[in-house]
Amino acid sequence: GVQVVAVPAEYVAAASPRLRGGLYVKDVAAGSVAARAEIARGDILIGLNVGEHHWETIRPENVLFVLQQSEQL
């Protein structure tokens, strides 16, 4: 349920020069894990927290992995 495109590090450097990039959210399917996590169209993801874990979100597969982890908690 979520469509994302890569954002280069230069774009997110204003938030933190340590960031290596992020993901722009193009679309979120209603009722999906992403929607339940309150990820919305237009968001730029630079990382996701699940419990005590923090994952960087640079590639689309990063988001899928993190959202799958959240379902297991």
Side-chain angles (χ1 to χ4, degrees):
V2 63
Q3 293 180 354
V4 295
V5 292
V7 175
E10 299 79 38
Y11 189 83
V12 297
S16 172
R18 297 180 330 195
L19 296 173
R20 298 184 301 159
L23 296 168
Y24 173 79
V25 179
K26 290 176 47 175
D27 194 28
V28 178
S32 67
V33 175
R36 291 193 303 273
E38 298 183 10
I39 295 172
R41 183 177 183 211
D43 286 350
I44 296 178
L45 306 176
I46 56 172
L48 294 170
N49 295 320
V50 177
E52 296 180 11
H53 301 284
H54 175 79
W55 284 280
E56 197 171 21
T57 51
I58 297 174
R59 298 186 317 261
E61 54 270 17
N62 297 143
V63 176
L64 178 60
F65 174 81
V66 173
L67 292 174
Q68 288 172 340
Q69 300 308 304
S70 68
E71 287 186 320
Q72 296 174 12
L73 295 177

